[in-house]
Amino acid sequence: MTRGLHLAFEAASHTEVDAFHRAAVAAGGVSRHEPRYWPEYRADTAFVSDLDGNDVEALVKEH
């Protein structure tokens, strides 16, 4: 079993980041950070922890 992993997926839009967060929480994930803009990373992101303690992130970066 893997624990402590941080896995990030690139989304196509902020709408997809929001949808990822809603779906992951509905499936039993624990919200770590609701969707928001992080200026230091120039990205909209959302973080959810799974039941094994892994962090899953969806993000869309500014170009």
Side-chain angles (χ1 to χ4, degrees):
M1 176 181 313
T2 301
R3 291 183 188 216
L5 177 72
H6 182 120
L7 182 63
F9 294 96
E10 185 173 6
S13 67
H14 182 74
T15 302
E16 286 186 2
V17 172
D18 289 341
F20 154 78
H21 187 263
R22 281 192 308 276
V25 170
V30 176
S31 177
R32 299 225 6 181
H33 296 287
E34 292 190 9
R36 73 175 180 96
Y37 181 72
W38 297 72
E40 62 269 34
Y41 302 115
R42 295 178 35 206
D44 284 310
T45 67
F47 296 85
V48 178
S49 292
D50 69 12
L51 299 176
D52 293 322
N54 299 299
D55 294 330
V56 183
E57 171 186 7
L59 68 110
V60 60
K61 299 224 12 136
E62 289 181 355
H63 295 280

